[in-house]
Amino acid sequence: DAKTTQPPSMDCAEGRAANLPCNHSTISGNEYVYWYRQIHSQGPQYIIHGLKNNETNEMASLIITEDRKSSTLILPHATLRDTAVYYCIANTGTASKLTFGTGTRLQVTL
Amino acid sequence: DAGVIQSPRHEVTEMGQEVTLRCKPISGHNSLFWYRQTMMRGLELLIYFNNNVPIDDSGMPEDRFSAKMPNASFSTLKIQPSEPRDSAVYFCASRQFTSGEKLFFGSGTQLSVL
């Protein structure tokens, strides 16, 4: 898996958009960008993934730069329940192992 | 579907005892993963299976740890003998090959070795 770099922590006001960056400058052409989150004391939860195009689902949007060296996970209207550690992972998505880094701890405040 | 089911939810044992953690993956999923999480080391992959066959066990810390998957609906992670440094939360996860790396995690087993 390509190395990913994320800020250790971020704050966001409730109701505002949370934009979580991830750098993956050495990502290869066949590696997807996956995002997971882990709410305190729970197992990680899949959020979204993408290869080249921007993606959106009911949880979040994923914006990948044209050169694919970085991406941003967007939670459009953050709530207190979005407080969690967010992990960005680069992986080929071919039934291989998934390795988690240290992630970004997002704190959503009133 | 009930999701990935792990048992027990909490386990407290004494050093030297055998510990067995259990996992039931989501029906129809082809892969199963065991992870361990501590404050110091974060979330570490211990081992994963594809179609009940162990594919990569390079994360298993030492011979005291063993994992089995006798069938598609059940897996165990055994620690014998247990040591205080094994205290951690152990997560099991499963996925379908066709869904790429979309893993579904269980609620974890909080293990405390005294």
mmCIF file of all heavy atoms in Angstrom, chain B residues 47-94:
data_model
loop_
_atom_site.group_PDB
_atom_site.id
_atom_site.type_symbol
_atom_site.label_atom_id
_atom_site.label_comp_id
_atom_site.label_asym_id
_atom_site.label_seq_id
_atom_site.Cartn_x
_atom_site.Cartn_y
_atom_site.Cartn_z
ATOM 1 N N ILE B 47 -3.840 -11.373 11.086
ATOM 2 C CA ILE B 47 -3.949 -12.440 10.095
ATOM 3 C C ILE B 47 -5.212 -12.235 9.284
ATOM 4 O O ILE B 47 -6.161 -11.617 9.768
ATOM 5 C CB ILE B 47 -3.978 -13.832 10.790
ATOM 6 C CG1 ILE B 47 -3.970 -14.977 9.784
ATOM 7 C CG2 ILE B 47 -5.178 -13.946 11.719
ATOM 8 C CD1 ILE B 47 -3.788 -16.365 10.430
ATOM 9 N N TYR B 48 -5.209 -12.717 8.029
ATOM 10 C CA TYR B 48 -6.458 -12.735 7.303
ATOM 11 C C TYR B 48 -6.585 -14.008 6.473
ATOM 12 O O TYR B 48 -5.580 -14.613 6.084
ATOM 13 C CB TYR B 48 -6.685 -11.470 6.462
ATOM 14 C CG TYR B 48 -5.985 -11.387 5.125
ATOM 15 C CD1 TYR B 48 -6.666 -11.660 3.939
ATOM 16 C CD2 TYR B 48 -4.667 -10.974 5.032
ATOM 17 C CE1 TYR B 48 -6.037 -11.544 2.713
ATOM 18 C CE2 TYR B 48 -4.036 -10.856 3.808
ATOM 19 C CZ TYR B 48 -4.718 -11.129 2.653
ATOM 20 O OH TYR B 48 -4.092 -11.005 1.432
ATOM 21 N N PHE B 49 -7.834 -14.387 6.258
ATOM 22 C CA PHE B 49 -8.184 -15.606 5.523
ATOM 23 C C PHE B 49 -8.978 -15.226 4.269
ATOM 24 O O PHE B 49 -9.802 -14.314 4.306
ATOM 25 C CB PHE B 49 -9.093 -16.512 6.377
ATOM 26 C CG PHE B 49 -8.482 -17.013 7.651
ATOM 27 C CD1 PHE B 49 -8.443 -16.223 8.795
ATOM 28 C CD2 PHE B 49 -7.979 -18.309 7.733
ATOM 29 C CE1 PHE B 49 -7.907 -16.694 9.977
ATOM 30 C CE2 PHE B 49 -7.447 -18.792 8.922
ATOM 31 C CZ PHE B 49 -7.410 -17.978 10.042
ATOM 32 N N ASN B 50 -8.731 -15.941 3.191
ATOM 33 C CA ASN B 50 -9.595 -15.896 2.015
ATOM 34 C C ASN B 50 -10.130 -17.301 1.802
ATOM 35 O O ASN B 50 -9.338 -18.261 1.737
ATOM 36 C CB ASN B 50 -8.838 -15.426 0.763
ATOM 37 C CG ASN B 50 -8.618 -13.938 0.734
ATOM 38 O OD1 ASN B 50 -9.237 -13.168 1.475
ATOM 39 N ND2 ASN B 50 -7.719 -13.503 -0.140
ATOM 40 N N ASN B 51 -11.455 -17.425 1.693
ATOM 41 C CA ASN B 51 -12.071 -18.746 1.523
ATOM 42 C C ASN B 51 -11.560 -19.747 2.556
ATOM 43 O O ASN B 51 -11.211 -20.885 2.229
ATOM 44 C CB ASN B 51 -11.820 -19.279 0.102
ATOM 45 C CG ASN B 51 -12.590 -18.503 -0.947
ATOM 46 O OD1 ASN B 51 -13.713 -18.045 -0.701
ATOM 47 N ND2 ASN B 51 -11.991 -18.338 -2.111
ATOM 48 N N ASN B 52 -11.485 -19.306 3.794
ATOM 49 C CA ASN B 52 -11.110 -20.127 4.953
ATOM 50 C C ASN B 52 -9.626 -20.489 5.001
ATOM 51 O O ASN B 52 -9.202 -21.210 5.907
ATOM 52 C CB ASN B 52 -11.928 -21.428 5.028
ATOM 53 C CG ASN B 52 -13.405 -21.218 4.824
ATOM 54 O OD1 ASN B 52 -13.916 -20.130 5.042
ATOM 55 N ND2 ASN B 52 -14.098 -22.258 4.391
ATOM 56 N N VAL B 53 -8.837 -20.021 4.062
ATOM 57 C CA VAL B 53 -7.411 -20.339 4.014
ATOM 58 C C VAL B 53 -6.605 -19.146 4.507
ATOM 59 O O VAL B 53 -6.816 -18.032 4.024
ATOM 60 C CB VAL B 53 -6.988 -20.704 2.572
ATOM 61 C CG1 VAL B 53 -5.478 -20.944 2.505
ATOM 62 C CG2 VAL B 53 -7.753 -21.917 2.070
ATOM 63 N N PRO B 54 -5.677 -19.361 5.444
ATOM 64 C CA PRO B 54 -4.864 -18.226 5.905
ATOM 65 C C PRO B 54 -3.949 -17.733 4.790
ATOM 66 O O PRO B 54 -3.225 -18.525 4.184
ATOM 67 C CB PRO B 54 -4.069 -18.808 7.078
ATOM 68 C CG PRO B 54 -4.071 -20.289 6.853
ATOM 69 C CD PRO B 54 -5.339 -20.617 6.157
ATOM 70 N N ILE B 55 -4.004 -16.448 4.503
ATOM 71 C CA ILE B 55 -3.237 -15.867 3.406
ATOM 72 C C ILE B 55 -1.998 -15.157 3.916
ATOM 73 O O ILE B 55 -0.922 -15.259 3.334
ATOM 74 C CB ILE B 55 -4.104 -14.882 2.583
ATOM 75 C CG1 ILE B 55 -5.343 -15.591 2.032
ATOM 76 C CG2 ILE B 55 -3.286 -14.262 1.461
ATOM 77 C CD1 ILE B 55 -5.048 -16.778 1.127
ATOM 78 N N ASP B 56 -2.139 -14.423 4.986
ATOM 79 C CA ASP B 56 -1.027 -13.637 5.508
ATOM 80 C C ASP B 56 -1.118 -13.615 7.027
ATOM 81 O O ASP B 56 -2.054 -13.043 7.580
ATOM 82 C CB ASP B 56 -1.071 -12.214 4.949
ATOM 83 C CG ASP B 56 0.153 -11.395 5.315
ATOM 84 O OD1 ASP B 56 0.840 -11.717 6.302
ATOM 85 O OD2 ASP B 56 0.422 -10.404 4.608
ATOM 86 N N ASP B 57 -0.171 -14.271 7.679
ATOM 87 C CA ASP B 57 -0.150 -14.273 9.150
ATOM 88 C C ASP B 57 1.095 -13.565 9.673
ATOM 89 O O ASP B 57 1.518 -13.792 10.806
ATOM 90 C CB ASP B 57 -0.244 -15.681 9.706
ATOM 91 C CG ASP B 57 0.974 -16.533 9.336
ATOM 92 O OD1 ASP B 57 1.818 -16.049 8.555
ATOM 93 O OD2 ASP B 57 1.069 -17.673 9.825
ATOM 94 N N SER B 58 1.673 -12.709 8.851
ATOM 95 C CA SER B 58 2.919 -12.039 9.239
ATOM 96 C C SER B 58 2.731 -11.096 10.424
ATOM 97 O O SER B 58 3.693 -10.728 11.076
ATOM 98 C CB SER B 58 3.485 -11.263 8.049
ATOM 99 O OG SER B 58 2.568 -10.302 7.584
ATOM 100 N N GLY B 59 1.515 -10.732 10.713
ATOM 101 C CA GLY B 59 1.260 -9.844 11.843
ATOM 102 C C GLY B 59 1.053 -10.565 13.163
ATOM 103 O O GLY B 59 0.961 -9.917 14.213
ATOM 104 N N MET B 60 1.001 -11.864 13.141
ATOM 105 C CA MET B 60 0.834 -12.623 14.383
ATOM 106 C C MET B 60 2.104 -12.457 15.201
ATOM 107 O O MET B 60 3.202 -12.804 14.744
ATOM 108 C CB MET B 60 0.579 -14.098 14.076
ATOM 109 C CG MET B 60 -0.719 -14.329 13.332
ATOM 110 S SD MET B 60 -2.155 -14.163 14.386
ATOM 111 C CE MET B 60 -2.441 -15.886 14.772
ATOM 112 N N PRO B 61 1.978 -11.952 16.434
ATOM 113 C CA PRO B 61 3.171 -11.548 17.192
ATOM 114 C C PRO B 61 4.148 -12.681 17.472
ATOM 115 O O PRO B 61 5.348 -12.482 17.393
ATOM 116 C CB PRO B 61 2.597 -10.978 18.490
ATOM 117 C CG PRO B 61 1.138 -10.948 18.361
ATOM 118 C CD PRO B 61 0.727 -11.683 17.148
ATOM 119 N N GLU B 62 3.676 -13.834 17.794
ATOM 120 C CA GLU B 62 4.580 -14.931 18.131
ATOM 121 C C GLU B 62 3.784 -16.223 18.184
ATOM 122 O O GLU B 62 2.584 -16.248 17.958
ATOM 123 C CB GLU B 62 5.262 -14.650 19.477
ATOM 124 C CG GLU B 62 4.317 -14.195 20.562
ATOM 125 C CD GLU B 62 5.052 -13.516 21.709
ATOM 126 O OE1 GLU B 62 5.506 -14.225 22.612
ATOM 127 O OE2 GLU B 62 5.155 -12.272 21.685
ATOM 128 N N ASP B 63 4.504 -17.308 18.488
ATOM 129 C CA ASP B 63 3.877 -18.629 18.446
ATOM 130 C C ASP B 63 2.762 -18.808 19.467
ATOM 131 O O ASP B 63 1.992 -19.758 19.372
ATOM 132 C CB ASP B 63 4.927 -19.722 18.657
ATOM 133 C CG ASP B 63 5.880 -19.798 17.488
ATOM 134 O OD1 ASP B 63 5.554 -19.236 16.427
ATOM 135 O OD2 ASP B 63 6.941 -20.422 17.629
ATOM 136 N N ARG B 64 2.668 -17.930 20.400
ATOM 137 C CA ARG B 64 1.591 -18.051 21.396
ATOM 138 C C ARG B 64 0.233 -17.769 20.762
ATOM 139 O O ARG B 64 -0.800 -18.122 21.320
ATOM 140 C CB ARG B 64 1.828 -17.078 22.549
ATOM 141 C CG ARG B 64 3.086 -17.326 23.333
ATOM 142 C CD ARG B 64 3.201 -16.383 24.534
ATOM 143 N NE ARG B 64 3.270 -14.979 24.149
ATOM 144 C CZ ARG B 64 2.276 -14.113 24.293
ATOM 145 N NH1 ARG B 64 1.123 -14.505 24.822
ATOM 146 N NH2 ARG B 64 2.427 -12.853 23.922
ATOM 147 N N PHE B 65 0.240 -17.107 19.608
ATOM 148 C CA PHE B 65 -0.998 -16.753 18.923
ATOM 149 C C PHE B 65 -1.260 -17.747 17.792
ATOM 150 O O PHE B 65 -0.362 -18.082 17.021
ATOM 151 C CB PHE B 65 -0.901 -15.354 18.319
ATOM 152 C CG PHE B 65 -1.002 -14.229 19.303
ATOM 153 C CD1 PHE B 65 0.001 -14.003 20.233
ATOM 154 C CD2 PHE B 65 -2.101 -13.394 19.294
ATOM 155 C CE1 PHE B 65 -0.094 -12.968 21.146
ATOM 156 C CE2 PHE B 65 -2.201 -12.337 20.198
ATOM 157 C CZ PHE B 65 -1.199 -12.131 21.119
ATOM 158 N N SER B 66 -2.508 -18.190 17.694
ATOM 159 C CA SER B 66 -2.899 -19.038 16.575
ATOM 160 C C SER B 66 -4.327 -18.695 16.177
ATOM 161 O O SER B 66 -5.136 -18.310 17.006
ATOM 162 C CB SER B 66 -2.782 -20.522 16.932
ATOM 163 O OG SER B 66 -3.658 -20.848 17.994
ATOM 164 N N ALA B 67 -4.622 -18.827 14.895
ATOM 165 C CA ALA B 67 -5.962 -18.552 14.398
ATOM 166 C C ALA B 67 -6.390 -19.669 13.470
ATOM 167 O O ALA B 67 -5.577 -20.210 12.720
ATOM 168 C CB ALA B 67 -6.010 -17.209 13.670
ATOM 169 N N LYS B 68 -7.680 -19.970 13.536
ATOM 170 C CA LYS B 68 -8.238 -21.016 12.681
ATOM 171 C C LYS B 68 -9.544 -20.538 12.080
ATOM 172 O O LYS B 68 -10.236 -19.695 12.646
ATOM 173 C CB LYS B 68 -8.480 -22.299 13.495
ATOM 174 C CG LYS B 68 -7.223 -22.969 13.982
ATOM 175 C CD LYS B 68 -7.548 -24.270 14.717
ATOM 176 C CE LYS B 68 -6.287 -24.943 15.203
ATOM 177 N NZ LYS B 68 -6.581 -26.219 15.926
ATOM 178 N N MET B 69 -9.857 -21.119 10.943
ATOM 179 C CA MET B 69 -11.154 -20.859 10.318
ATOM 180 C C MET B 69 -11.640 -22.191 9.750
ATOM 181 O O MET B 69 -11.414 -22.495 8.574
ATOM 182 C CB MET B 69 -11.056 -19.798 9.239
ATOM 183 C CG MET B 69 -12.415 -19.305 8.778
ATOM 184 S SD MET B 69 -12.320 -17.772 7.874
ATOM 185 C CE MET B 69 -14.076 -17.436 7.682
ATOM 186 N N PRO B 70 -12.272 -23.010 10.580
ATOM 187 C CA PRO B 70 -12.670 -24.355 10.157
ATOM 188 C C PRO B 70 -13.761 -24.361 9.097
ATOM 189 O O PRO B 70 -13.870 -25.330 8.343
ATOM 190 C CB PRO B 70 -13.155 -24.995 11.455
ATOM 191 C CG PRO B 70 -13.524 -23.850 12.342
ATOM 192 C CD PRO B 70 -12.610 -22.727 11.985
ATOM 193 N N ASN B 71 -14.558 -23.297 9.034
ATOM 194 C CA ASN B 71 -15.578 -23.194 7.996
ATOM 195 C C ASN B 71 -15.879 -21.730 7.727
ATOM 196 O O ASN B 71 -15.329 -20.847 8.400
ATOM 197 C CB ASN B 71 -16.858 -23.952 8.403
ATOM 198 C CG ASN B 71 -17.406 -23.483 9.727
ATOM 199 O OD1 ASN B 71 -17.779 -22.323 9.870
ATOM 200 N ND2 ASN B 71 -17.448 -24.387 10.708
ATOM 201 N N ALA B 72 -16.733 -21.479 6.768
ATOM 202 C CA ALA B 72 -16.979 -20.113 6.317
ATOM 203 C C ALA B 72 -17.713 -19.256 7.336
ATOM 204 O O ALA B 72 -17.828 -18.048 7.158
ATOM 205 C CB ALA B 72 -17.762 -20.136 5.009
ATOM 206 N N SER B 73 -18.229 -19.858 8.392
ATOM 207 C CA SER B 73 -19.054 -19.093 9.315
ATOM 208 C C SER B 73 -18.451 -18.990 10.717
ATOM 209 O O SER B 73 -19.125 -18.557 11.646
ATOM 210 C CB SER B 73 -20.453 -19.716 9.398
ATOM 211 O OG SER B 73 -20.364 -21.049 9.821
ATOM 212 N N PHE B 74 -17.174 -19.366 10.851
ATOM 213 C CA PHE B 74 -16.628 -19.342 12.204
ATOM 214 C C PHE B 74 -15.108 -19.248 12.179
ATOM 215 O O PHE B 74 -14.440 -19.914 11.380
ATOM 216 C CB PHE B 74 -17.053 -20.609 12.949
ATOM 217 C CG PHE B 74 -16.612 -20.670 14.390
ATOM 218 C CD1 PHE B 74 -17.120 -19.774 15.325
ATOM 219 C CD2 PHE B 74 -15.701 -21.619 14.817
ATOM 220 C CE1 PHE B 74 -16.728 -19.829 16.650
ATOM 221 C CE2 PHE B 74 -15.301 -21.691 16.139
ATOM 222 C CZ PHE B 74 -15.815 -20.799 17.063
ATOM 223 N N SER B 75 -14.555 -18.439 13.090
ATOM 224 C CA SER B 75 -13.110 -18.341 13.239
ATOM 225 C C SER B 75 -12.773 -18.145 14.707
ATOM 226 O O SER B 75 -13.577 -17.580 15.464
ATOM 227 C CB SER B 75 -12.557 -17.174 12.426
ATOM 228 O OG SER B 75 -11.157 -17.031 12.604
ATOM 229 N N THR B 76 -11.594 -18.615 15.093
ATOM 230 C CA THR B 76 -11.122 -18.407 16.448
ATOM 231 C C THR B 76 -9.706 -17.837 16.429
ATOM 232 O O THR B 76 -8.911 -18.113 15.527
ATOM 233 C CB THR B 76 -11.099 -19.720 17.253
ATOM 234 O OG1 THR B 76 -10.249 -20.666 16.586
ATOM 235 C CG2 THR B 76 -12.478 -20.300 17.416
ATOM 236 N N LEU B 77 -9.415 -17.046 17.437
ATOM 237 C CA LEU B 77 -8.064 -16.548 17.683
ATOM 238 C C LEU B 77 -7.713 -16.994 19.095
ATOM 239 O O LEU B 77 -8.422 -16.655 20.044
ATOM 240 C CB LEU B 77 -8.011 -15.030 17.569
ATOM 241 C CG LEU B 77 -6.648 -14.372 17.872
ATOM 242 C CD1 LEU B 77 -5.627 -14.741 16.796
ATOM 243 C CD2 LEU B 77 -6.779 -12.854 17.937
ATOM 244 N N LYS B 78 -6.641 -17.772 19.202
ATOM 245 C CA LYS B 78 -6.278 -18.345 20.487
ATOM 246 C C LYS B 78 -4.935 -17.793 20.934
ATOM 247 O O LYS B 78 -3.999 -17.644 20.125
ATOM 248 C CB LYS B 78 -6.228 -19.862 20.387
ATOM 249 C CG LYS B 78 -5.998 -20.578 21.693
ATOM 250 C CD LYS B 78 -6.068 -22.090 21.516
ATOM 251 C CE LYS B 78 -7.456 -22.535 21.151
ATOM 252 N NZ LYS B 78 -7.570 -24.028 21.110
ATOM 253 N N ILE B 79 -4.834 -17.498 22.212
ATOM 254 C CA ILE B 79 -3.575 -17.050 22.812
ATOM 255 C C ILE B 79 -3.262 -18.024 23.952
ATOM 256 O O ILE B 79 -4.063 -18.185 24.875
ATOM 257 C CB ILE B 79 -3.673 -15.619 23.371
ATOM 258 C CG1 ILE B 79 -4.211 -14.657 22.310
ATOM 259 C CG2 ILE B 79 -2.292 -15.152 23.841
ATOM 260 C CD1 ILE B 79 -4.510 -13.257 22.840
ATOM 261 N N GLN B 80 -2.119 -18.686 23.844
ATOM 262 C CA GLN B 80 -1.738 -19.670 24.848
ATOM 263 C C GLN B 80 -0.221 -19.762 24.954
ATOM 264 O O GLN B 80 0.419 -20.174 23.983
ATOM 265 C CB GLN B 80 -2.324 -21.044 24.504
ATOM 266 C CG GLN B 80 -1.752 -22.224 25.273
ATOM 267 C CD GLN B 80 -2.007 -22.163 26.766
ATOM 268 O OE1 GLN B 80 -2.891 -21.457 27.229
ATOM 269 N NE2 GLN B 80 -1.216 -22.903 27.534
ATOM 270 N N PRO B 81 0.375 -19.407 26.091
ATOM 271 C CA PRO B 81 -0.239 -18.789 27.257
ATOM 272 C C PRO B 81 -0.379 -17.279 27.084
ATOM 273 O O PRO B 81 0.404 -16.652 26.365
ATOM 274 C CB PRO B 81 0.774 -19.104 28.355
ATOM 275 C CG PRO B 81 2.093 -19.094 27.639
ATOM 276 C CD PRO B 81 1.809 -19.637 26.255
ATOM 277 N N SER B 82 -1.344 -16.706 27.741
ATOM 278 C CA SER B 82 -1.547 -15.258 27.632
ATOM 279 C C SER B 82 -0.575 -14.513 28.546
ATOM 280 O O SER B 82 -0.115 -15.042 29.566
ATOM 281 C CB SER B 82 -2.993 -14.895 27.980
ATOM 282 O OG SER B 82 -3.309 -15.320 29.289
ATOM 283 N N GLU B 83 -0.258 -13.265 28.139
ATOM 284 C CA GLU B 83 0.628 -12.401 28.902
ATOM 285 C C GLU B 83 -0.017 -11.017 29.029
ATOM 286 O O GLU B 83 -0.842 -10.654 28.189
ATOM 287 C CB GLU B 83 1.986 -12.275 28.213
ATOM 288 C CG GLU B 83 2.748 -13.589 28.098
ATOM 289 C CD GLU B 83 4.110 -13.420 27.464
ATOM 290 O OE1 GLU B 83 4.493 -12.279 27.139
ATOM 291 O OE2 GLU B 83 4.805 -14.458 27.289
ATOM 292 N N PRO B 84 0.370 -10.248 30.053
ATOM 293 C CA PRO B 84 -0.225 -8.912 30.225
ATOM 294 C C PRO B 84 -0.104 -8.031 28.979
ATOM 295 O O PRO B 84 -1.007 -7.236 28.697
ATOM 296 C CB PRO B 84 0.558 -8.339 31.405
ATOM 297 C CG PRO B 84 0.932 -9.536 32.217
ATOM 298 C CD PRO B 84 1.223 -10.619 31.205
ATOM 299 N N ARG B 85 0.977 -8.156 28.224
ATOM 300 C CA ARG B 85 1.148 -7.325 27.030
ATOM 301 C C ARG B 85 0.186 -7.686 25.900
ATOM 302 O O ARG B 85 0.134 -7.006 24.879
ATOM 303 C CB ARG B 85 2.583 -7.404 26.513
ATOM 304 C CG ARG B 85 3.049 -8.786 26.122
ATOM 305 C CD ARG B 85 4.557 -8.796 25.915
ATOM 306 N NE ARG B 85 5.085 -10.152 25.829
ATOM 307 C CZ ARG B 85 5.738 -10.608 24.776
ATOM 308 N NH1 ARG B 85 5.949 -9.843 23.739
ATOM 309 N NH2 ARG B 85 6.213 -11.848 24.774
ATOM 310 N N ASP B 86 -0.564 -8.768 26.072
ATOM 311 C CA ASP B 86 -1.585 -9.121 25.080
ATOM 312 C C ASP B 86 -2.879 -8.342 25.305
ATOM 313 O O ASP B 86 -3.806 -8.434 24.481
ATOM 314 C CB ASP B 86 -1.901 -10.618 25.142
ATOM 315 C CG ASP B 86 -0.669 -11.479 24.906
ATOM 316 O OD1 ASP B 86 0.237 -11.029 24.158
ATOM 317 O OD2 ASP B 86 -0.608 -12.583 25.468
ATOM 318 N N SER B 87 -2.960 -7.615 26.375
ATOM 319 C CA SER B 87 -4.161 -6.822 26.665
ATOM 320 C C SER B 87 -4.392 -5.817 25.554
ATOM 321 O O SER B 87 -3.500 -5.023 25.215
ATOM 322 C CB SER B 87 -4.007 -6.112 28.014
ATOM 323 O OG SER B 87 -3.875 -7.039 29.067
ATOM 324 N N ALA B 88 -5.572 -5.856 24.994
ATOM 325 C CA ALA B 88 -5.895 -5.031 23.828
ATOM 326 C C ALA B 88 -7.357 -5.261 23.475
ATOM 327 O O ALA B 88 -8.041 -6.094 24.079
ATOM 328 C CB ALA B 88 -5.011 -5.400 22.638
ATOM 329 N N VAL B 89 -7.819 -4.517 22.457
ATOM 330 C CA VAL B 89 -9.115 -4.820 21.853
ATOM 331 C C VAL B 89 -8.838 -5.588 20.565
ATOM 332 O O VAL B 89 -8.036 -5.144 19.733
ATOM 333 C CB VAL B 89 -9.926 -3.557 21.545
ATOM 334 C CG1 VAL B 89 -11.280 -3.936 20.926
ATOM 335 C CG2 VAL B 89 -10.148 -2.732 22.813
ATOM 336 N N TYR B 90 -9.482 -6.719 20.414
ATOM 337 C CA TYR B 90 -9.300 -7.560 19.237
ATOM 338 C C TYR B 90 -10.553 -7.463 18.373
ATOM 339 O O TYR B 90 -11.664 -7.716 18.836
ATOM 340 C CB TYR B 90 -9.041 -9.009 19.651
ATOM 341 C CG TYR B 90 -7.684 -9.180 20.296
ATOM 342 C CD1 TYR B 90 -7.494 -8.846 21.637
ATOM 343 C CD2 TYR B 90 -6.593 -9.644 19.570
ATOM 344 C CE1 TYR B 90 -6.242 -8.965 22.228
ATOM 345 C CE2 TYR B 90 -5.340 -9.777 20.155
ATOM 346 C CZ TYR B 90 -5.175 -9.429 21.480
ATOM 347 O OH TYR B 90 -3.941 -9.549 22.071
ATOM 348 N N PHE B 91 -10.348 -7.063 17.128
ATOM 349 C CA PHE B 91 -11.467 -6.917 16.196
ATOM 350 C C PHE B 91 -11.404 -7.992 15.121
ATOM 351 O O PHE B 91 -10.330 -8.331 14.618
ATOM 352 C CB PHE B 91 -11.434 -5.548 15.502
ATOM 353 C CG PHE B 91 -11.777 -4.389 16.381
ATOM 354 C CD1 PHE B 91 -10.783 -3.541 16.849
ATOM 355 C CD2 PHE B 91 -13.091 -4.134 16.727
ATOM 356 C CE1 PHE B 91 -11.092 -2.460 17.654
ATOM 357 C CE2 PHE B 91 -13.412 -3.056 17.539
ATOM 358 C CZ PHE B 91 -12.412 -2.217 18.006
ATOM 359 N N CYS B 92 -12.561 -8.450 14.753
ATOM 360 C CA CYS B 92 -12.728 -9.338 13.616
ATOM 361 C C CYS B 92 -13.473 -8.566 12.537
ATOM 362 O O CYS B 92 -14.347 -7.735 12.845
ATOM 363 C CB CYS B 92 -13.527 -10.569 14.044
ATOM 364 S SG CYS B 92 -13.929 -11.716 12.724
ATOM 365 N N ALA B 93 -13.138 -8.802 11.282
ATOM 366 C CA ALA B 93 -13.825 -8.134 10.170
ATOM 367 C C ALA B 93 -13.993 -9.129 9.026
ATOM 368 O O ALA B 93 -13.225 -10.080 8.899
ATOM 369 C CB ALA B 93 -13.030 -6.917 9.700
ATOM 370 N N SER B 94 -15.003 -8.888 8.207
ATOM 371 C CA SER B 94 -15.193 -9.746 7.035
ATOM 372 C C SER B 94 -15.540 -8.904 5.820
ATOM 373 O O SER B 94 -15.910 -7.732 5.947
ATOM 374 C CB SER B 94 -16.279 -10.794 7.292
ATOM 375 O OG SER B 94 -17.575 -10.217 7.376
#
